[in-house]
Amino acid sequence: MKIAFISDIHGNATAVEAVLKDIQSKNADQIVVLGDLCYRGPEPERSLELIQSLNPTVVKGNADEWVVRGIREGEVPDQALDMMRTEQKWTADRLSNEDIDYLKGLPAEATIDLTAQIKIHVFHATPNSLFDIVKPTEADEIVESKLMKEASADIYLYGHIHLPYVRYINGKTVANLGSVGLPFDGMNHASYLMAEGEGEHFKVGIQRVKYDTSQVIRKAEEVAYPNPDFLKQVLAK
């Protein structure tokens, strides 16, 4: 079995298309999405359509929750709140009621069978929160307490921090997928994770996909996205 895990698309449909093409070239059997589909990019509706067309397993991210109910004080830095609320409204206005209901109804976590012997527990930030931040440099004890609560799982995968990594703790695997649409690790290539398994054997690896980021920036200008400077800062590298 070969499963592709993608996360943190953030309305970047151009990146989604590039990643899906790469996944198809690697002959993945399944795609699982770990949230943050629409918000903070120029093509929220097309990004959602691309994901829904796959009929994948999808779990909810904090940005999906924000699209549904708005951003509350204390959830983002005070100096960013007004602009992020403007971006949220811009995004929500471009989605249908059915789209909003879809995001609202997403589950917070899921367990995926890579093989009959290997289970993968997936969630956006932690199993108990859409918003908690677990950094790549956290001590093993912190990672275990926040991310590895499902004792039956062998692999734990999450998104949210946009920083891809793989770690091994007490015989189990923990990994962050990075971000398809807004990577924060200084490389503007889309990031996702591929897991392959047979019986008790498996391997996981971060995949990076180069695409035309200038196309995303042009699109943001064409549709009058309210915060194009943010996209330029992340993608124009």
Side-chain angles (χ1 to χ4, degrees), residues 86-169:
T86 298
E87 293 176 80
Q88 184 274 339
K89 184 178 186 305
W90 186 93
T91 300
D93 286 347
R94 279 150 183 79
L95 299 174
S96 68
N97 290 335
E98 289 78 14
D99 293 335
I100 300 296
D101 287 343
Y102 172 83
L103 296 176
K104 184 178 181 179
L106 291 175
E109 57 186 320
T111 300
I112 310 295
D113 289 334
L114 182 61
T115 73
Q117 291 82 29
I118 301 171
K119 293 186 179 297
I120 304 178
H121 191 208
V122 301
F123 38 86
H124 181 70
T126 76
N128 297 328
S129 171
L130 299 177
F131 297 92
D132 279 356
I133 294 174
V134 181
K135 299 177 181 179
T137 54
E138 298 282 9
D140 286 357
E141 295 79 10
I142 299 296
V143 175
E144 284 187 278
S145 66
K146 290 192 173 183
L147 302 181
M148 303 171 69
K149 292 179 179 291
E150 180 54 61
S152 66
D154 306 282
I155 302 170
Y156 305 84
L157 302 180
Y158 72 114
H160 191 48
I161 61 172
H162 299 210
L163 297 169
Y165 73 88
V166 180
R167 284 173 69 172
Y168 303 95
I169 299 174

Side-chain angles (χ1 to χ4, degrees), residues 11-233:
N12 187 341
T14 303
V16 175
E17 289 179 324
V19 165
L20 294 181
K21 183 177 180 180
D22 192 69
I23 290 171
Q24 184 178 25
S25 74
K26 292 179 168 66
N27 299 311
D29 301 294
Q30 186 179 346
I31 297 175
V32 179
V33 185
L34 272 58
D36 282 8
L37 308 182
C38 304
Y39 173 60
R40 301 219 88 180
E43 296 187 271
E45 61 272 62
R46 192 160 77 90
S47 298
L48 184 57
E49 288 170 2
L50 285 167
I51 294 304
Q52 289 177 320
S53 71
L54 305 170
N55 194 30
T57 297
V58 183
V59 300
K60 183 186 292 186
N62 65 295
D64 306 313
E65 182 74 358
W66 280 341
V67 171
V68 171
R69 52 87 161 160
I71 303 172
R72 298 170 182 164
E73 289 187 11
E75 291 181 338
V76 300
D78 290 343
Q79 66 270 24
L81 182 58
D82 287 344
M83 176 54 75
M84 291 184 70
R85 282 177 168 172
T86 298
E87 293 176 80
Q88 184 274 339
K89 184 178 186 305
W90 186 93
T91 300
D93 286 347
R94 279 150 183 79
L95 299 174
S96 68
N97 290 335
E98 289 78 14
D99 293 335
I100 300 296
D101 287 343
Y102 172 83
L103 296 176
K104 184 178 181 179
L106 291 175
E109 57 186 320
T111 300
I112 310 295
D113 289 334
L114 182 61
T115 73
Q117 291 82 29
I118 301 171
K119 293 186 179 297
I120 304 178
H121 191 208
V122 301
F123 38 86
H124 181 70
T126 76
N128 297 328
S129 171
L130 299 177
F131 297 92
D132 279 356
I133 294 174
V134 181
K135 299 177 181 179
T137 54
E138 298 282 9
D140 286 357
E141 295 79 10
I142 299 296
V143 175
E144 284 187 278
S145 66
K146 290 192 173 183
L147 302 181
M148 303 171 69
K149 292 179 179 291
E150 180 54 61
S152 66
D154 306 282
I155 302 170
Y156 305 84
L157 302 180
Y158 72 114
H160 191 48
I161 61 172
H162 299 210
L163 297 169
Y165 73 88
V166 180
R167 284 173 69 172
Y168 303 95
I169 299 174
N170 292 333
K172 297 193 175 187
T173 304
V174 180
N176 189 277
L177 316 186
S179 172
V180 169
L182 291 173
F184 288 169
D185 61 349
M187 177 183 287
N188 65 355
H189 295 22
S191 177
Y192 75 98
L193 182 141
M194 188 75 79
E196 299 180 53
E198 182 176 351
E200 296 181 350
H201 305 287
F202 73 93
K203 62 180 178 179
V204 299
I206 302 297
Q207 317 293 311
R208 302 307 292 253
V209 181
K210 183 176 176 59
Y211 68 98
D212 185 2
T213 57
S214 66
Q215 183 177 334
V216 183
I217 295 169
R218 287 195 302 270
K219 186 66 178 179
E221 294 170 346
E222 289 171 8
V223 300
Y225 186 74
N227 194 6
D229 290 343
F230 170 71
L231 298 179
K232 292 175 185 178
Q233 181 182 359

